[in-house]
Amino acid sequence: MSGKYIVVFKDHVTASQIDEYVNSVNANGGSVGRRFDSLLNGFSATIPDSYLTQLQSLQGDVIDYIEPDQEVRIQ
């Protein structure tokens, strides 16, 4: 099963390093939607559960956080 997530990288991670993760997500059955380089140093993507586990193992080193991509409303 796949889910939609926002992946945000640490400040020291370069755009070319993020490109590698974008390619990796796509190569592992996912689909990267939008890049947020100027805002969050990351991207939104549909990521298969099997690859999500691998990305989550990088939290703390390269990835700052991964969270579900969801609509937010202000009332």
Side-chain angles (χ1 to χ4, degrees), residues 56-69:
Q56 288 171 328
S57 72
L58 300 172
Q59 282 184 283
D61 296 330
V62 178
I63 295 175
D64 195 15
Y65 61 90
I66 301 171
E67 67 179 39
D69 188 2

Side-chain angles (χ1 to χ4, degrees), residues 32-63:
V32 173
R34 297 188 68 193
R35 294 277 301 255
F36 304 114
D37 295 334
S38 62
L39 297 173
L40 294 173
N41 206 31
F43 56 79
S44 65
T46 301
I47 304 172
D49 292 340
S50 58
Y51 190 65
L52 178 64
T53 302
Q54 190 173 347
L55 282 178
Q56 288 171 328
S57 72
L58 300 172
Q59 282 184 283
D61 296 330
V62 178
I63 295 175

